Amino acid sequence: MSQEQAESGRRARPARSKSSVTLLDVAREAGVSLATASRVVNGSVSRRPAPELIEKVTEAAVRLGYSANASAQAIARGVNSVVGLIVSDIADPYFSSIAAGVTAEAEEQGLLVTLASTKGRPNREVDYLSALRRQRPMAILLVGSRRADPAAEQRLSQELRAFREDGGRAAAVSQPTLGIDTVAVRNAEGAADLARALVAQGHTSFGVLSGPADLQTAADRVAGFRGGLRAAGARLAAKNLQHGGFTRDGGKQAARELLTRSPDIGCLFAVNDVMGIGAMSAARELGYRVPEDLAIAGFDDIPSAADTFPPLTTVRLDLEAVGRDAMRFVLEQPGAGTPRVKYVTGDVVLRPSTTR
Amino acid sequence: MSQEQAESGRRARPARSKSSVTLLDVAREAGVSLATASRVVNGSVSRRPAPELIEKVTEAAVRLGYSANASAQAIARGVNSVVGLIVSDIADPYFSSIAAGVTAEAEEQGLLVTLASTKGRPNREVDYLSALRRQRPMAILLVGSRRADPAAEQRLSQELRAFREDGGRAAAVSQPTLGIDTVAVRNAEGAADLARALVAQGHTSFGVLSGPADLQTAADRVAGFRGGLRAAGARLAAKNLQHGGFTRDGGKQAARELLTRSPDIGCLFAVNDVMGIGAMSAARELGYRVPEDLAIAGFDDIPSAADTFPPLTTVRLDLEAVGRDAMRFVLEQPGAGTPRVKYVTGDVVLRPSTTR
DNA sequence: GTGAAAGCGCTAACAT
DNA sequence: ATGTTAGCGCTTTCAC
């Protein structure tokens, strides 16, 4: 406002450039050097300017409406106060709950979160990883089940290694197979506990709704459930395992097929809640009363699991805490060393959907 | 691998700096100039290098594991391929669905999305806006109801104005009062339609569960509902309006209070589905059968609304489309002109929760 | 304590 | 078609 803009002796600035106020503008307005201005706006630790200069610069900054350019700071400092977050599907309550934990923790650290949703496409996972890598985020979080896709997993690991060699930190919420710190849910154990609890409730005939065949999380839960059943003296007939999409509709469809094939299954375990909710819908449409004719259980304890009718028996996970834990992993990451693994266990929550 | 690193004649690089491969490294490795290397890695339109050079550079880049530094590009180009997204609560299905639409559309444009979740704190909204502004994103999307908080709204508008003056684009999903392009839900109309439909179903005694008193969205829905009732010859008793948190638990709590005060309300309208779901839970605990003793309706049609029991009557919004629309707004934003408004209407979906 | 100036990695004029 | 080089906005030595 008080300075003439045209006096610049520099080359004309490119047309595409935004006309925003720079630190240099602030410095001039305050009558100090660029260095001093920098020291006050970012509160340098080593050198602290005189109180009066601090005031002059601060005033100039607000008067001019100065907003620091994070890209320039990132490039000058070598690190960016951003963390990348890759999830399978942000619209899925499982992931959005974890994302909530991540953003909450990030906020406390003054970090911004850049989000990518892969929709389950393994290629996109790698693509996003390299796109995020270009932002030089201080850390990248990978949230989602590993897959039995050696090629994709291989590329992912390479990209992650490269990122870490450049000084980036990384952590995952999945299975501990990526060579990075990971928060791992004890899926098999949780499912086994559930199986035992179900048998204890008196259920004898089981069916399982699993997700895509190559999803590690789904496989682990199925294996755990099967093991738990066996330990309790029951068993899962091979033909009573049905794969489907890892979504509500996938669960609904899978339930339809399974119940058509094996109409008198007494208890259905869906490897996650959204599938379980879909199964409930299918069961009802097929004329089953839940839980009288058919008991249904899920896994995760997403918020809506308690609001279905009847409320869904499941294995509770503190999803937001999982997100926070992953974030903490990258914050307190040591220089090197073997990747750490934090196991989180799920608690069986018996609700009316399996009451007998 | 093939080059010695120590030969650098420059000043020692700062210790904090990541040791990543730069474009200059690639250029040297390929035996070309920096400019040429730049032209091939980003596929400059005007000048395209000879095929053999392209090959040499590309090879060198992969051999060295080069990853462009987005911050440096942003600063050199003047624009950043990032869009900022501010939502009230990423764990809430309403917002995560919209976020899914935003990220999907962003992906198609090769844009990354930086997410901020305010948890309904008006101050945080402004704080995040200025934090995002520092990233110099090509656009910022604001998703969430406006509030009757003049001071906060004022600061928000100022910050937005500054952002736009610097060349940033902005759009909102809320009420069109921010002076920027906005996707606005016809809340009053949707609620009015719902009210009429409910009266047509034979309901005569109503109660309303609203959100925080200063939330515009909640206020609009209440006003619309009240108007619709009147138009249909019914009315809402003043004492039958209960405020509460805009969440499941808020709805549950509000329903408890309202039903205790006016036990024989026949039909409850919760201003959003999550509150409606909470209300259902409360009603059940208080011994009401839904819908026989008490009908309940919500608004939004979040995914789980169809899976409650009985399924929830509501006003359907295509949330993902709303997110895409907001994103499109900023993509096709004209230089200036009056802010555009895209109104989206909700469709009443009658489900068993209000069957009479 | 303050300022001058050398970068940070990259793009885009501007030559050649 | 290439290469040179001047920035982009900021941080941080390094002198004073």
Side-chain angles (χ1 to χ4, degrees):
Chain A
M1 193 182 264
S2 61
Q3 293 275 88
E4 192 54 59
Q5 304 274 64
E7 61 183 343
S8 166
R10 304 178 197 159
R11 203 183 275 221
R13 70 147 45 93
R16 54 175 172 41
S17 173
K18 297 182 179 189
S19 61
S20 85
V21 179
T22 74
L23 227 208
L24 187 57
D25 296 329
V26 174
R28 282 208 265 258
E29 172 86 4
V32 302
S33 73
L34 222 201
T36 297
S38 172
R39 295 194 260 255
V40 358
V41 310
N42 81 78
S44 165
V45 214
S46 42
R47 275 97 182 26
R48 84 172 3 274
E52 47 166 306
L53 287 192
I54 291 194
E55 172 158 358
K56 273 166 56 173
V57 174
T58 307
E59 267 181 12
V62 321
R63 193 172 337 137
L64 264 33
Y66 175 72
S67 166
N69 183 321
S71 291
Q73 295 183 304
I75 202 184
R77 293 178 174 149
V79 290
N80 203 344
S81 294
V82 164
V83 346
L85 172 63
I86 302 180
V87 300
S88 299
D89 182 6
I90 191 60
D92 182 316
Y94 174 85
F95 295 103
S96 63
S97 297
I98 292 178
V102 170
T103 56
E105 186 71 24
E107 173 179 318
E108 285 174 23
Q109 308 297 326
L111 263 21
L112 245 22
V113 175
T114 296
L115 173 76
S117 182
T118 67
K119 299 279 180 63
R121 299 159 300 183
N123 292 334
R124 280 305 184 188
E125 196 169 25
V126 190
D127 292 347
Y128 271 128
L129 178 51
S130 64
L132 284 176
R133 207 148 92 70
R134 287 192 273 273
Q135 309 289 325
R136 300 290 189 275
M138 69 94 74
I140 290 183
L141 264 29
L142 225 60
V143 183
S145 173
R146 294 301 88 224
R147 286 179 172 261
D149 179 341
E153 293 296 302
Q154 176 70 10
R155 289 192 299 146
L156 202 60
S157 287
Q158 276 174 21
E159 196 77 30
L160 275 174
R161 192 179 36 61
F163 175 62
R164 301 181 66 214
E165 280 173 358
D166 282 1
R169 291 146 179 249
V173 174
S174 65
Q175 287 71 38
T177 59
L178 253 19
I180 58 179
D181 287 355
T182 118
V183 177
V185 172
R186 290 199 189 277
N187 290 125
E189 292 78 348
D193 289 348
L194 176 63
R196 280 188 220 98
L198 258 16
V199 170
Q201 284 196 125
H203 295 288
T204 54
S205 157
F206 299 88
V208 171
L209 267 22
S210 182
D214 64 343
L215 262 198
Q216 193 62 46
T217 298
D220 291 347
R221 291 178 182 181
V222 172
F225 191 77
R226 181 175 265 134
L229 243 34
R230 199 167 323 137
R235 63 182 292 274
L236 175 66
K239 65 158 198 161
N240 285 356
L241 170 61
Q242 176 68 47
H243 289 280
F246 217 43
T247 62
R248 176 194 187 276
D249 292 342
K252 183 165 185 174
Q253 174 66 16
R256 258 197 221 111
E257 292 175 27
L258 180 53
L259 291 174
T260 301
R261 194 166 66 228
S262 306
D264 33 49
I265 281 175
C267 179
L268 227 43
F269 166 52
V271 295
N272 71 13
D273 288 347
V274 294
M275 290 186 75
I277 289 172
M280 232 181 225
S281 171
R284 197 129 38 208
E285 286 181 13
L286 291 174
Y288 288 83
R289 288 170 305 164
V290 178
E292 295 81 356
D293 305 328
L294 178 68
I296 298 182
F299 200 116
D300 291 340
D301 196 27
I302 60 174
S304 56
D307 290 310
T308 56
F309 187 82
L312 190 67
T313 283
T314 187
V315 179
R316 156 171 297 167
L317 257 24
D318 186 339
L319 268 5
E320 191 167 330
V322 164
R324 300 189 93 103
D325 286 343
M327 191 67 219
R328 294 211 180 106
F329 252 158
V330 300
L331 289 173
E332 32 171 80
Q333 206 156 75
T338 22
R340 296 168 295 171
V341 180
K342 160 145 190 171
Y343 286 100
V344 321
T345 63
D347 297 319
V348 173
V349 181
L350 260 16
R351 297 209 180 93
S353 74
T354 58
T355 300
R356 205 149 188 280
Chain B
M1 193 183 262
S2 61
Q3 294 276 85
E4 192 54 58
Q5 305 273 65
E7 60 184 342
S8 165
R10 304 178 198 157
R11 202 183 274 222
R13 68 151 43 92
R16 54 176 171 41
S17 172
K18 296 182 178 187
S19 61
S20 87
V21 179
T22 74
L23 227 208
L24 187 58
D25 296 328
V26 174
R28 281 208 265 256
E29 172 86 4
V32 301
S33 75
L34 220 204
T36 296
S38 173
R39 295 194 260 255
V40 356
V41 310
N42 83 79
S44 164
V45 213
S46 41
R47 279 93 181 29
R48 85 173 0 275
E52 46 167 305
L53 286 192
I54 292 194
E55 174 157 358
K56 275 168 52 177
V57 174
T58 308
E59 268 180 12
V62 322
R63 195 172 336 138
L64 264 33
Y66 174 72
S67 167
N69 183 321
S71 292
Q73 295 183 307
I75 200 183
R77 291 179 176 148
V79 291
N80 202 346
S81 295
V82 164
V83 346
L85 172 63
I86 302 180
V87 301
S88 299
D89 181 6
I90 192 60
D92 182 315
Y94 174 85
F95 295 103
S96 65
S97 296
I98 292 178
V102 170
T103 57
E105 186 71 23
E107 174 180 317
E108 286 174 22
Q109 309 296 327
L111 263 21
L112 245 22
V113 175
T114 296
L115 173 77
S117 183
T118 67
K119 299 278 180 63
R121 300 159 299 183
N123 291 335
R124 279 307 183 185
E125 197 170 24
V126 190
D127 291 347
Y128 270 129
L129 177 52
S130 66
L132 284 176
R133 206 147 93 69
R134 286 192 272 274
Q135 309 288 322
R136 300 288 187 276
M138 68 96 75
I140 291 183
L141 265 28
L142 226 60
V143 183
S145 173
R146 296 300 87 226
R147 286 177 173 262
D149 179 340
E153 293 295 301
Q154 176 70 10
R155 290 192 299 146
L156 201 60
S157 287
Q158 275 174 22
E159 195 76 29
L160 275 174
R161 193 178 36 59
F163 175 61
R164 299 180 67 213
E165 280 172 0
D166 282 1
R169 291 144 178 250
V173 173
S174 66
Q175 287 72 37
T177 58
L178 252 19
I180 58 179
D181 287 354
T182 118
V183 177
V185 172
R186 290 199 188 279
N187 289 125
E189 292 80 348
D193 289 349
L194 176 63
R196 281 188 219 97
L198 257 17
V199 170
Q201 279 192 316
H203 295 287
T204 53
S205 157
F206 300 88
V208 171
L209 268 23
S210 184
D214 64 344
L215 262 198
Q216 194 59 48
T217 297
D220 291 347
R221 291 179 181 180
V222 172
F225 191 77
R226 180 175 266 134
L229 243 34
R230 200 168 321 137
R235 65 180 292 274
L236 174 67
K239 66 159 197 161
N240 286 356
L241 169 62
Q242 175 69 47
H243 289 279
F246 217 41
T247 62
R248 176 195 187 275
D249 292 342
K252 183 165 184 172
Q253 174 67 16
R256 257 197 221 110
E257 293 175 27
L258 179 53
L259 291 173
T260 301
R261 193 167 68 228
S262 306
D264 33 48
I265 282 175
C267 179
L268 225 44
F269 166 52
V271 295
N272 71 13
D273 287 347
V274 296
M275 290 186 75
I277 290 173
M280 231 181 226
S281 170
R284 197 131 35 211
E285 287 181 12
L286 292 175
Y288 288 83
R289 287 171 306 163
V290 179
E292 295 81 356
D293 304 329
L294 177 69
I296 298 181
F299 201 117
D300 291 341
D301 196 26
I302 60 174
S304 55
D307 290 311
T308 55
F309 189 81
L312 190 66
T313 283
T314 186
V315 178
R316 156 170 297 166
L317 256 26
D318 186 340
L319 269 4
E320 191 166 328
V322 164
R324 300 188 92 102
D325 286 342
M327 192 66 218
R328 294 211 181 106
F329 252 159
V330 299
L331 289 173
E332 28 170 84
Q333 204 156 77
T338 23
R340 297 169 293 171
V341 180
K342 162 148 189 168
Y343 286 101
V344 320
T345 63
D347 298 318
V348 173
V349 181
L350 261 14
R351 298 211 180 94
S353 73
T354 58
T355 299
R356 205 146 187 278

CSV table of all heavy atoms in Angstrom, one decimal, chain B residues 57-91:
chain,number,residue,atom,x,y,z
B,57,VAL,N,18.0,-39.5,-21.2
B,57,VAL,CA,17.6,-38.8,-19.9
B,57,VAL,C,16.7,-39.8,-19.1
B,57,VAL,O,16.9,-39.9,-17.9
B,57,VAL,CB,16.9,-37.5,-20.2
B,57,VAL,CG1,16.4,-36.9,-18.9
B,57,VAL,CG2,17.9,-36.5,-20.8
B,58,THR,N,15.7,-40.3,-19.8
B,58,THR,CA,14.8,-41.2,-19.1
B,58,THR,C,15.5,-42.3,-18.4
B,58,THR,O,15.3,-42.6,-17.3
B,58,THR,CB,13.8,-41.8,-20.2
B,58,THR,OG1,13.2,-40.7,-20.9
B,58,THR,CG2,12.7,-42.6,-19.4
B,59,GLU,N,16.5,-42.9,-19.2
B,59,GLU,CA,17.2,-44.0,-18.6
B,59,GLU,C,18.0,-43.6,-17.4
B,59,GLU,O,18.0,-44.2,-16.3
B,59,GLU,CB,18.3,-44.5,-19.6
B,59,GLU,CG,17.8,-45.7,-20.4
B,59,GLU,CD,18.8,-46.1,-21.4
B,59,GLU,OE1,20.0,-45.7,-21.3
B,59,GLU,OE2,18.5,-46.9,-22.3
B,60,ALA,N,18.7,-42.4,-17.5
B,60,ALA,CA,19.4,-41.9,-16.4
B,60,ALA,C,18.5,-41.7,-15.2
B,60,ALA,O,18.9,-42.0,-14.0
B,60,ALA,CB,20.1,-40.6,-16.8
B,61,ALA,N,17.3,-41.2,-15.4
B,61,ALA,CA,16.4,-40.9,-14.4
B,61,ALA,C,16.0,-42.2,-13.6
B,61,ALA,O,16.0,-42.2,-12.4
B,61,ALA,CB,15.2,-40.2,-14.9
B,62,VAL,N,15.7,-43.2,-14.4
B,62,VAL,CA,15.3,-44.4,-13.7
B,62,VAL,C,16.5,-45.0,-13.0
B,62,VAL,O,16.4,-45.6,-11.9
B,62,VAL,CB,14.6,-45.4,-14.6
B,62,VAL,CG1,13.7,-44.7,-15.5
B,62,VAL,CG2,15.5,-46.3,-15.3
B,63,ARG,N,17.6,-45.0,-13.7
B,63,ARG,CA,18.8,-45.6,-13.1
B,63,ARG,C,19.1,-45.0,-11.7
B,63,ARG,O,19.5,-45.6,-10.8
B,63,ARG,CB,20.0,-45.4,-14.0
B,63,ARG,CG,21.2,-46.3,-13.7
B,63,ARG,CD,22.3,-46.2,-14.7
B,63,ARG,NE,21.7,-45.8,-16.0
B,63,ARG,CZ,22.3,-44.9,-16.8
B,63,ARG,NH1,23.4,-44.4,-16.5
B,63,ARG,NH2,21.7,-44.6,-18.0
B,64,LEU,N,19.0,-43.6,-11.7
B,64,LEU,CA,19.3,-42.9,-10.5
B,64,LEU,C,18.1,-42.9,-9.5
B,64,LEU,O,18.3,-42.5,-8.3
B,64,LEU,CB,19.7,-41.5,-10.8
B,64,LEU,CG,21.1,-41.1,-10.9
B,64,LEU,CD1,21.9,-42.3,-11.5
B,64,LEU,CD2,21.3,-39.9,-11.8
B,65,GLY,N,17.0,-43.3,-9.9
B,65,GLY,CA,15.8,-43.4,-9.1
B,65,GLY,C,15.3,-41.9,-8.8
B,65,GLY,O,14.9,-41.6,-7.7
B,66,TYR,N,15.3,-41.1,-9.8
B,66,TYR,CA,15.0,-39.7,-9.7
B,66,TYR,C,13.5,-39.5,-9.4
B,66,TYR,O,12.6,-40.2,-10.0
B,66,TYR,CB,15.3,-39.0,-11.0
B,66,TYR,CG,14.8,-37.5,-11.0
B,66,TYR,CD1,15.4,-36.6,-10.2
B,66,TYR,CD2,13.7,-37.2,-11.8
B,66,TYR,CE1,15.0,-35.3,-10.2
B,66,TYR,CE2,13.3,-35.9,-11.8
B,66,TYR,CZ,13.9,-34.9,-11.0
B,66,TYR,OH,13.5,-33.6,-11.0
B,67,SER,N,13.2,-38.6,-8.5
B,67,SER,CA,11.8,-38.3,-8.2
B,67,SER,C,11.8,-36.8,-8.1
B,67,SER,O,12.5,-36.1,-7.3
B,67,SER,CB,11.5,-38.9,-6.8
B,67,SER,OG,10.3,-38.3,-6.3
B,68,ALA,N,11.0,-36.2,-9.0
B,68,ALA,CA,10.9,-34.7,-9.0
B,68,ALA,C,10.6,-34.1,-7.7
B,68,ALA,O,9.8,-34.7,-6.9
B,68,ALA,CB,10.0,-34.3,-10.1
B,69,ASN,N,11.1,-33.0,-7.4
B,69,ASN,CA,10.7,-32.3,-6.2
B,69,ASN,C,9.6,-31.3,-6.4
B,69,ASN,O,9.7,-30.3,-7.0
B,69,ASN,CB,11.9,-31.5,-5.7
B,69,ASN,CG,11.7,-30.8,-4.3
B,69,ASN,OD1,10.6,-30.3,-4.1
B,69,ASN,ND2,12.7,-30.9,-3.5
B,70,ALA,N,8.4,-31.7,-6.0
B,70,ALA,CA,7.2,-30.9,-6.3
B,70,ALA,C,7.3,-29.5,-5.7
B,70,ALA,O,6.7,-28.6,-6.3
B,70,ALA,CB,6.0,-31.7,-5.7
B,71,SER,N,7.9,-29.3,-4.6
B,71,SER,CA,8.0,-28.0,-4.0
B,71,SER,C,8.8,-27.1,-4.9
B,71,SER,O,8.4,-25.9,-5.2
B,71,SER,CB,8.7,-28.1,-2.7
B,71,SER,OG,7.9,-28.7,-1.7
B,72,ALA,N,9.9,-27.6,-5.5
B,72,ALA,CA,10.7,-26.8,-6.4
B,72,ALA,C,9.9,-26.5,-7.6
B,72,ALA,O,10.0,-25.4,-8.1
B,72,ALA,CB,12.0,-27.6,-6.7
B,73,GLN,N,9.2,-27.5,-8.1
B,73,GLN,CA,8.4,-27.2,-9.3
B,73,GLN,C,7.4,-26.1,-9.0
B,73,GLN,O,7.1,-25.2,-9.8
B,73,GLN,CB,7.7,-28.5,-9.8
B,73,GLN,CG,8.7,-29.5,-10.2
B,73,GLN,CD,8.1,-30.8,-10.7
B,73,GLN,OE1,7.2,-31.4,-10.1
B,73,GLN,NE2,8.4,-31.2,-11.9
B,74,ALA,N,6.7,-26.3,-7.9
B,74,ALA,CA,5.7,-25.3,-7.5
B,74,ALA,C,6.2,-23.9,-7.5
B,74,ALA,O,5.6,-23.0,-8.0
B,74,ALA,CB,5.1,-25.7,-6.2
B,75,ILE,N,7.4,-23.8,-6.9
B,75,ILE,CA,7.9,-22.5,-6.7
B,75,ILE,C,8.4,-21.9,-8.0
B,75,ILE,O,8.3,-20.7,-8.3
B,75,ILE,CB,9.1,-22.5,-5.7
B,75,ILE,CG1,9.3,-21.1,-5.1
B,75,ILE,CG2,10.3,-23.1,-6.3
B,75,ILE,CD1,10.5,-21.2,-4.2
B,76,ALA,N,8.9,-22.8,-8.9
B,76,ALA,CA,9.4,-22.3,-10.2
B,76,ALA,C,8.2,-22.0,-11.1
B,76,ALA,O,8.3,-21.1,-11.9
B,76,ALA,CB,10.3,-23.3,-10.8
B,77,ARG,N,7.2,-22.8,-11.0
B,77,ARG,CA,6.1,-22.6,-11.9
B,77,ARG,C,5.1,-21.6,-11.4
B,77,ARG,O,4.3,-21.0,-12.2
B,77,ARG,CB,5.3,-23.9,-12.1
B,77,ARG,CG,6.1,-25.0,-12.9
B,77,ARG,CD,5.2,-26.3,-12.9
B,77,ARG,NE,5.9,-27.3,-13.7
B,77,ARG,CZ,5.7,-28.6,-13.5
B,77,ARG,NH1,5.0,-29.0,-12.5
B,77,ARG,NH2,6.3,-29.5,-14.3
B,78,GLY,N,5.0,-21.5,-10.1
B,78,GLY,CA,4.0,-20.5,-9.6
B,78,GLY,C,2.7,-21.1,-9.2
B,78,GLY,O,1.8,-20.5,-8.7
B,79,VAL,N,2.6,-22.4,-9.5
B,79,VAL,CA,1.3,-23.1,-9.1
B,79,VAL,C,1.6,-24.5,-8.6
B,79,VAL,O,2.6,-25.1,-9.0
B,79,VAL,CB,0.3,-23.2,-10.3
B,79,VAL,CG1,-0.2,-21.9,-10.7
B,79,VAL,CG2,1.0,-24.0,-11.4
B,80,ASN,N,0.8,-24.9,-7.6
B,80,ASN,CA,1.0,-26.2,-7.0
B,80,ASN,C,-0.2,-27.1,-7.3
B,80,ASN,O,-1.3,-26.7,-7.3
B,80,ASN,CB,1.0,-25.9,-5.5
B,80,ASN,CG,1.8,-27.0,-4.7
B,80,ASN,OD1,2.0,-28.1,-5.3
B,80,ASN,ND2,2.1,-26.8,-3.5
B,81,SER,N,0.1,-28.3,-7.7
B,81,SER,CA,-0.9,-29.3,-8.1
B,81,SER,C,-1.6,-29.9,-6.9
B,81,SER,O,-1.6,-31.1,-6.8
B,81,SER,CB,-0.3,-30.3,-9.0
B,81,SER,OG,0.1,-29.8,-10.2
B,82,VAL,N,-2.0,-29.1,-6.0
B,82,VAL,CA,-2.6,-29.6,-4.8
B,82,VAL,C,-3.9,-28.8,-4.6
B,82,VAL,O,-4.0,-27.7,-4.9
B,82,VAL,CB,-1.7,-29.4,-3.6
B,82,VAL,CG1,-2.4,-29.5,-2.3
B,82,VAL,CG2,-0.5,-30.4,-3.7
B,83,VAL,N,-4.9,-29.5,-4.0
B,83,VAL,CA,-6.1,-28.7,-3.6
B,83,VAL,C,-6.3,-29.0,-2.1
B,83,VAL,O,-6.1,-30.1,-1.7
B,83,VAL,CB,-7.3,-29.0,-4.5
B,83,VAL,CG1,-7.0,-29.7,-5.8
B,83,VAL,CG2,-8.4,-29.7,-3.7
B,84,GLY,N,-6.7,-28.0,-1.4
B,84,GLY,CA,-6.9,-28.1,0.0
B,84,GLY,C,-8.4,-28.4,0.3
B,84,GLY,O,-9.3,-27.9,-0.4
B,85,LEU,N,-8.6,-29.3,1.2
B,85,LEU,CA,-10.0,-29.7,1.5
B,85,LEU,C,-10.3,-29.6,3.0
B,85,LEU,O,-9.6,-30.2,3.8
B,85,LEU,CB,-10.3,-31.1,1.1
B,85,LEU,CG,-11.6,-31.8,1.5
B,85,LEU,CD1,-12.8,-31.0,0.8
B,85,LEU,CD2,-11.7,-33.2,1.1
B,86,ILE,N,-11.2,-28.7,3.4
B,86,ILE,CA,-11.5,-28.5,4.8
B,86,ILE,C,-12.9,-29.1,5.1
B,86,ILE,O,-13.9,-28.6,4.5
B,86,ILE,CB,-11.5,-27.1,5.2
B,86,ILE,CG1,-10.1,-26.5,4.9
B,86,ILE,CG2,-11.8,-26.9,6.7
B,86,ILE,CD1,-9.9,-25.0,5.2
B,87,VAL,N,-13.0,-30.1,5.9
B,87,VAL,CA,-14.3,-30.6,6.3
B,87,VAL,C,-14.5,-30.5,7.8
B,87,VAL,O,-13.6,-30.3,8.6
B,87,VAL,CB,-14.4,-32.1,5.9
B,87,VAL,CG1,-14.2,-32.3,4.4
B,87,VAL,CG2,-13.4,-33.0,6.7
B,88,SER,N,-15.7,-30.7,8.2
B,88,SER,CA,-16.0,-30.6,9.6
B,88,SER,C,-15.6,-31.8,10.4
B,88,SER,O,-15.1,-31.7,11.5
B,88,SER,CB,-17.5,-30.4,9.9
B,88,SER,OG,-18.0,-29.3,9.2
B,89,ASP,N,-15.7,-33.0,9.8
B,89,ASP,CA,-15.3,-34.2,10.5
B,89,ASP,C,-15.2,-35.4,9.5
B,89,ASP,O,-16.2,-35.9,9.1
B,89,ASP,CB,-16.3,-34.6,11.6
B,89,ASP,CG,-15.9,-35.8,12.4
B,89,ASP,OD1,-14.8,-36.3,12.2
B,89,ASP,OD2,-16.7,-36.3,13.2
B,90,ILE,N,-14.0,-35.7,9.3
B,90,ILE,CA,-13.7,-36.8,8.3
B,90,ILE,C,-14.3,-38.1,8.7
B,90,ILE,O,-14.5,-39.0,7.8
B,90,ILE,CB,-12.2,-36.8,7.9
B,90,ILE,CG1,-12.0,-37.7,6.7
B,90,ILE,CG2,-11.4,-37.4,9.1
B,90,ILE,CD1,-12.7,-37.2,5.4
B,91,ALA,N,-14.5,-38.3,10.0
B,91,ALA,CA,-15.0,-39.6,10.4
B,91,ALA,C,-16.5,-39.7,10.2
B,91,ALA,O,-17.1,-40.8,10.3
B,91,ALA,CB,-14.7,-39.9,11.9
